[in-house]
Amino acid sequence: MGRRFLAYPYHLWTALFTVIPLALIVYFAFTDRYTAAFTLDNLRQAAQPVYLGVLWHSVWLAGVSTFLCLLAGYPMAMILAKSGVRYRRMLAMLIVVPMWMNFLLRTYAWMTLLEKNGAVNALLAFLGLPPIHILYTDYAVLLGMVYNFLPFMILPIYSVLMKMDKSLLEAAEDLGADAWTSFRRVTFPLSLPGVYAGTIMVFMPAVTTFVISRLLGGGQYMLAGNVIEQQFLAIGNWNFGSALSVLMMVLILLSMVGLSRYDKDGSGGYFL
Amino acid sequence: MNGMRKAFVLLLLCGVLAALLAGCGGGGQKSAKRELKVYNWGDYIDPEILKSFEKETGIHVIYDTFATNEDMYVKVKSGGSDYDVAIPSDYMISRLLRDGLLEKIDFSKVPNYSKIGAKYKNLDFDPKNEYSVPYMWGTVGIAYNKKMVTEPVDSWGILWDAKYAKQIFMLDSPRDSIGITLKYLGYSLNTGNEVELAVAGKKLVEQKPLVLAYLVDEAKDKMIAGEGALAVVWSGDAMFMMEKNKDIAYAIPKEGTNLWFDSMVILKGTKHKAEAEEFINYMTRPDVAKKNVEYIGYASPIPEVESKLPEDVRKNIAAYPDAELLKNAEVFNDLTENMPKYDKVWTEVKVAQ
């Protein structure tokens, strides 16, 4: 009990790198760019229809990509959890290894792959299929998001599935449930904490990304992250950028509160 | 006996530690070697030159890049970065000067300044030429792929032609993209008139469905790979593209364009002024400047360099346009209080769905 002082560095860290920056963002959001006097103008400007439209577009894209990650990630997590030890280790490596490579580099690679005369279209032409022109559209951005964030969906679900008591499945089978029923009534409900954790871990980076939308969206499909980046880096209006960030944080907070209602035992680890 | 051995080991440890510390001390003195932090546009120097500069002078160069003048300004202005030399454009130099962010250059330390052509000295942004040494100059124009664009390109209007939908790359740089639109509409690209700016903004929003992407440096690779038909580019980038892909040509529209100058400046508060001047002098040395323009493709303000270039380069309008083509060209002014109007227009263009 007397070891509390061991936590001090952690408190200091949190204060320095979480609390103070957050306080600064809030301060900038509520002050005037030139006079530093209190104002609501920045927030009022951020609440204009065009910016709300951008915000909505970001939430929509992030939502779709989260859903696609869930759709692709859940079966993957199940395969992973069900396979033998050696095979499982190899599969887990295959999922994790690409993440060792720089994220920017991988996204740049997609940029070249998806070109009109890129590798993907060359392959399609070889197979006698019509070419696709998705670079610099929402589809490319979605693809980039799903590709980059999929492991964040697979791993939490996988870890929950691994911990699941397998005798429950045997019991379900004994009681006459077929595979689909036992999945629907036993496996899936028990894996929900992992699903929530994965959802949050995919949704949050997806809704705030500006790199993927900039590289694969070609600077025309502005997402909230891009508008904020533009205000900070290109235009230098930190106050408006902060107001947009605050609006976004409120939005994320609300969605987390909404989701945590379902997470009864608090094992989702939302506040990672 | 045991006690003595312990004492001996302790003594030995002390000795080793002392030797290590002394070693560190020596290292510390060495690390006080001369340094210089340079902040330049992306893809805007022959990297070999940085190496040869380090070799010749023993000055270690820390080199960073930016994508637009505005990015550079925000970073320098907000402090925290300790760059010694930067290479911004004309209007941004006036702005830095107005904000007191530039250091006067001691021209006695930059003897190669005498090599710079007279028409590149004492320009509006630095009328007495105390703060800057020209690095490169050029224009903004349209790079196009002759295989996809068979009609003559002589007006900015072609960028609004629905025939080329989703084959157009625009510059992701507010002043350039708004500037050429203003020129197309017959206005000055330094206007502060809100009506004119609103018209230009509307025009750009109207163009948005035709634009494939807003890029800066990536546009070069995309055009070379034949991914687009038309791109608004800086002249030197056009030179680079033409060299890599023979189908690409460059045009300066008749409505006029932006004539720009990028110059080397020393930033206020530098701790390496002598090194900075040495660097500027080195970059202005004709043999170095020639190597540099041959690599990056922009136009040199040093006549001696220009005269030594091959004829096809000297005759290429992307590198050295003749006076007739620059008749309607304008140099950017610092917008001062009108800047937020441009920011607003650009933000609206970029967020338009």
Side-chain angles (χ1 to χ4, degrees):
Chain A
M1 273 289 115
R3 296 275 170 85
R4 267 217 179 129
F5 65 91
L6 284 177
Y8 289 167
Y10 176 72
H11 290 313
L12 186 73
W13 180 273
T14 317
L16 269 179
F17 297 108
T18 310
V19 179
I20 295 176
L22 268 178
L24 277 176
I25 295 263
V26 173
Y27 168 79
F28 279 122
F30 286 99
T31 48
D32 186 78
R33 186 177 178 186
Y34 302 101
T35 63
F38 175 82
T39 176
L40 287 173
D41 283 354
N42 299 313
L43 278 172
R44 217 170 281 143
Q45 198 188 340
Q48 276 173 12
V50 286
Y51 296 110
L52 289 181
V54 170
L55 215 58
W56 168 243
H57 191 61
S58 315
V59 171
W60 164 249
L61 273 185
V64 173
S65 73
T66 309
F67 181 70
L68 291 175
C69 278
L70 182 62
L71 227 53
Y74 201 100
M76 192 63 221
M78 278 181 81
I79 293 170
L80 212 59
K82 276 187 184 154
S83 47
V85 180
R86 280 181 62 189
Y87 190 54
R88 181 195 305 152
R89 210 173 279 162
M90 199 183 73
L91 275 179
M93 280 294 276
L94 285 178
I95 294 169
V96 175
V97 165
M99 289 166 76
W100 295 357
M101 247 177 291
N102 185 290
F103 154 80
L104 209 59
L105 208 64
R106 284 181 283 136
T107 310
Y108 259 102
W110 273 114
M111 219 166 100
T112 312
L113 288 174
L114 293 175
E115 281 180 353
K116 271 179 214 159
N117 310 316
V120 171
N121 278 338
L123 186 73
L124 287 176
F126 178 74
L127 298 173
L129 295 167
I132 50 166
H133 298 301
I134 66 164
L135 186 59
Y136 303 131
T137 67
D138 275 357
Y139 296 110
V141 177
L142 268 180
L143 181 89
M145 284 181 180
V146 172
Y147 168 76
N148 278 307
F149 302 137
L150 188 60
F152 299 117
M153 182 64 88
I154 297 177
L155 297 175
I157 298 177
Y158 160 69
S159 75
V160 171
L161 288 177
M162 279 303 285
K163 278 185 275 178
M164 207 175 74
D165 188 352
K166 303 284 184 297
S167 58
L168 290 173
L169 290 176
E170 287 162 22
E173 212 171 309
D174 288 346
L175 294 171
D178 55 23
W180 169 241
T181 311
S182 77
F183 171 78
R184 199 166 50 86
R185 302 286 298 271
V186 181
T187 312
F188 190 70
L190 283 174
S191 69
L192 278 179
V195 171
Y196 295 138
T199 303
I200 291 284
M201 283 169 77
V202 171
F203 184 78
M204 290 232 275
V207 82
T208 50
T209 186
F210 64 91
V211 176
I212 297 176
S213 45
R214 170 131 162 215
L215 293 180
L216 299 175
Q220 52 186 330
Y221 293 89
M222 287 276 258
L223 298 186
N226 298 87
V227 183
I228 295 171
E229 187 223 0
Q230 189 198 22
Q231 292 301 323
F232 272 90
L233 294 182
I235 290 178
N237 190 348
W238 290 19
N239 303 77
F240 182 49
S242 299
L244 285 166
S245 306
V246 166
L247 206 66
M248 190 124 183
M249 272 190 290
V250 170
L251 195 95
I252 291 178
L253 211 67
L254 283 179
S255 60
M256 284 204 327
V257 170
L259 267 174
S260 66
R261 283 233 209 110
Y262 298 93
D263 182 30
K264 291 177 196 88
D265 57 354
S267 62
Y270 298 140
F271 298 99
L272 273 176
Chain B
M1 191 61 202
N2 209 357
M4 259 185 73
R5 220 161 76 188
K6 258 188 189 162
F8 178 72
V9 169
L10 215 68
L11 212 72
L12 202 74
L13 272 176
C14 282
V16 169
L17 210 68
L20 270 175
L21 281 174
C24 282
Q29 266 162 16
K30 249 188 214 162
S31 78
K33 70 177 179 193
R34 303 168 74 200
E35 266 186 5
L36 184 70
K37 254 184 119 173
V38 177
Y39 202 25
N40 191 7
W41 297 81
D43 288 346
Y44 207 32
I45 198 166
D46 179 350
E48 287 295 318
I49 288 175
L50 287 175
K51 278 189 210 147
S52 63
F53 174 73
E54 290 194 334
K55 219 166 159 188
E56 264 181 52
T57 61
I59 297 172
H60 176 60
V61 178
I62 301 163
Y63 187 78
D64 268 337
T65 61
F66 54 86
T68 66
N69 277 307
E70 285 70 23
D71 286 355
M72 185 237 36
Y73 176 80
V74 170
K75 202 153 169 206
V76 168
K77 174 84 179 171
S78 64
S81 58
D82 48 352
Y83 296 110
D84 304 302
V85 173
I87 313 187
S89 312
D90 34 59
Y91 72 98
M92 199 43 82
I93 293 175
S94 338
R95 194 161 164 196
L96 291 168
L97 203 52
R98 185 166 49 92
D99 288 358
L101 292 171
L102 298 184
E103 192 85 45
K104 266 192 187 165
I105 297 174
D106 179 356
F107 281 90
S108 68
K109 302 269 174 56
V110 190
N112 288 334
Y113 177 67
S114 63
K115 310 272 184 197
I116 305 267
K119 61 175 169 174
Y120 307 106
K121 289 180 178 173
N122 309 324
L123 294 162
D124 280 348
F125 56 88
D126 186 8
K128 284 190 234 152
N129 222 106
E130 295 169 308
Y131 296 92
S132 61
V133 173
Y135 180 69
M136 298 283 157
W137 66 279
T139 53
V140 177
I142 300 175
Y144 60 99
N145 190 317
K146 284 179 277 184
K147 278 194 180 151
M148 304 176 204
V149 183
T150 45
E151 61 190 305
V153 178
D154 65 348
S155 162
W156 294 113
I158 196 164
L159 300 171
W160 275 264
D161 190 335
K163 221 175 6 193
Y164 302 109
K166 291 290 165 203
Q167 298 190 60
I168 297 170
F169 291 114
M170 285 294 280
L171 263 175
D172 194 4
S173 161
R175 278 222 72 177
D176 296 286
S177 284
I178 297 173
I180 60 141
T181 313
L182 287 167
K183 283 309 260 187
Y184 174 46
L185 294 165
Y187 306 137
S188 160
L189 48 68
N190 289 313
T191 186
N193 182 321
E194 273 171 61
V195 179
E196 291 175 3
L197 279 168
V199 175
K202 224 178 117 203
K203 202 88 190 147
L204 282 166
V205 172
E206 194 184 299
Q207 182 207 23
K208 208 172 170 186
L210 308 179
V211 175
L212 181 57
Y214 297 83
L215 306 174
V216 182
D217 289 325
E218 294 104 325
K220 276 183 282 188
D221 293 336
K222 297 289 169 202
M223 283 302 285
I224 292 166
E227 294 291 315
L230 298 151
V232 177
V233 297
W234 293 303
S235 48
D237 287 355
M239 286 296 285
F240 182 83
M241 293 176 203
M242 288 186 245
E243 197 181 298
K244 302 272 169 181
N245 183 340
K246 297 293 170 216
D247 296 327
I248 291 176
Y250 181 74
I252 298 177
K254 57 176 189 274
E255 294 95 349
T257 186
N258 166 230
L259 174 65
W260 54 260
F261 303 91
D262 287 345
S263 296
M264 295 176 277
V265 296
I266 301 181
L267 295 167
K268 200 88 192 172
T270 173
K271 290 189 187 73
H272 305 103
K273 189 154 185 278
E275 287 84 352
E277 280 154 356
E278 222 171 301
F279 178 78
I280 292 174
N281 193 46
Y282 186 80
M283 294 311 293
T284 317
R285 209 171 81 190
D287 61 318
V288 176
K290 178 165 179 277
K291 190 165 163 15
N292 203 22
V293 294
E294 278 171 350
Y295 181 85
I296 60 178
Y298 282 88
S300 171
I302 303 171
E304 190 181 328
V305 172
E306 188 185 333
S307 64
K308 280 184 188 153
L309 292 171
E311 191 174 345
D312 60 317
V313 174
R314 276 184 287 130
K315 289 271 153 65
N316 193 323
I317 61 152
Y320 299 95
D322 39 53
E324 178 60 26
L325 280 166
L326 298 179
K327 199 173 57 186
N328 296 322
E330 278 181 281
V331 179
F332 281 139
N333 292 340
D334 181 21
L335 292 167
T336 62
E337 78 279 2
N338 288 326
M339 196 62 216
K341 297 178 192 166
Y342 280 71
D343 291 342
K344 190 166 160 269
V345 168
W346 190 241
T347 306
E348 279 166 7
V349 171
K350 292 301 287 290
V351 299
Q353 299 280 343

